[in-house]
Amino acid sequence: MITLNSSYLYQHHIALIMFHQGSWYCFLRYSKMMYSISKTRLYLATDSLDWMINRSIKQSLSLQDAVPLAAGEDSVPNNPVETLYIHIPFCHTLCRFCSFHKVKFQETLAREYFKALRQEIREVISRGYRFNRVYIGGGTTTILEDELIKTIELIKSLTTIREVSCESDPIYFSEGNPSQLKGLVDRMSIGVQSFDDVILKSTGRFEKFGSGEQQAEYVSRAIELFPTVNVDMMYGFKVQTADSVRQDLLQTMALNPDQITTYPLTVGIGKNRKKAGCLAGDPHELWPQFLAVKQTLAQRYEMDFPWTFSRNFGQPVKNKYVLDGEDCLGVGSGAFGRFGEQFRISSFDIADYIRLMNQTQSGTCYTKPLESKAVMQHHLMIMMGHGHLDNKVFKDHTGRSLWQAFPLEMSFLLASGAVVKQGDDYHTTEQGQFIALKMFVGFLSGMDHLREQARDLPLTSI
């Protein structure tokens, strides 16, 4: 299932965008010649950024230095890990441009998988891991309700957590029994992507989940059941215009969800590029579509990030998920994890994952060291998304100023008109918000690239 708040938001801190330094100078020399911020200047900046990100992903996000994790080789952090991410990799049908780890549903295998998954959850908690919240993504998380309920109840019986978030497809609220999850799930994230029947048909989602009108009804049912509901929307499709994006979001707003996540279709750089690319429109159309998103949602929603908006009416939104660079531990086949400067990879082969659980009591099969520079560059993306590059906070955290840590990146952001200086700090302009969005899309491409590599890693259980 395609939803930003699954592997994308909870595993966001794992893939780190590394920029090819030599390319910055070429762009800077040209961009400084530009006199004013304009579409041409913005497109030059974003086109150059896209090129540099795509060029660097294969170099910076390579798993060639990943090493097998030996049995018993684990370092439990002293402080709680912010998020426990749980991956459910089963779907009844496979969406044509979804790059997440998933397989066609087989009930016998799925029940065996859930059993191994709960075994891993018990093991990580028994080792001393503690968590503040849980996020369950997929795949189709609700594909076996009874197994999902057992899993959530197990977690709540073993540890204290602040909230449980779970993603779902829209049809679950018609064909499933979502009331059984009431009281267990605090935040439900529903991957709609669009209420436009033309887009739903072109992506194969009309046949799976019904018309836009039907899906709107399903979302309404979810809003009645759960304390917080997020709706995932997408733009950047070939058939979309700024006006059609606006109409899509007006229909979304009419449902009054607590959060709306909206982001461009990710084309990626690997095997998924051809499938997603045939659906994608002109990348230069993303700027007017982004403006349409902002202007439309501003009526009733405030921007947390250029891709996440929370309602500004009624009671304050509870269990609001915002991207903030926290650590996470991933469990289940196809899960990633990152805390400190260590990146962890679970087996992407379900049979291998089950064997690993029987042999080593851990589904994590590979680790990869992360350079501190890469982690800081990810934090730059987060600060850009927040709209405020706080020099003092950054220096207190890293021991270096923004310019000491990012001389090339800061030069690029200033030259492209993405940030303006205010005292010792920097704030993003509207163009800067769009560049932050493009950085995030590049990050999502990096996630796709990581998943492709992880699928090809040698099995460690045999």
Coordinates of all heavy atoms in Angstrom, one line a residue, residues 209 225 284 413:
F209 N -10.3 -0.3 -4.6 CA -10.9 0.4 -3.5 C -12.1 1.1 -3.8 O -12.8 1.7 -2.9 CB -9.8 1.3 -2.9 CG -8.5 0.7 -2.5 CD1 -7.3 1.2 -3.0 CD2 -8.5 -0.4 -1.7 CE1 -6.1 0.7 -2.7 CE2 -7.3 -1.0 -1.4 CZ -6.1 -0.5 -1.9
L225 N -14.5 6.6 14.3 CA -14.1 5.6 15.2 C -12.8 5.9 15.9 O -12.6 5.5 17.1 CB -13.8 4.3 14.4 CG -15.0 3.5 13.9 CD1 -14.6 2.4 13.0 CD2 -15.8 3.0 15.1
H284 N 8.0 20.2 -13.7 CA 7.9 21.7 -13.5 C 6.4 22.0 -13.2 O 6.2 23.2 -12.7 CB 8.3 22.4 -14.8 CG 9.8 22.4 -15.0 ND1 10.4 23.0 -16.1 CD2 10.8 21.9 -14.2 CE1 11.7 22.8 -16.0 NE2 12.0 22.2 -14.9
L413 N 21.5 27.1 -0.8 CA 20.2 27.5 -0.3 C 20.0 29.1 -0.5 O 18.9 29.6 -0.8 CB 19.9 27.1 1.1 CG 19.8 25.6 1.3 CD1 19.8 25.2 2.8 CD2 18.6 25.0 0.6

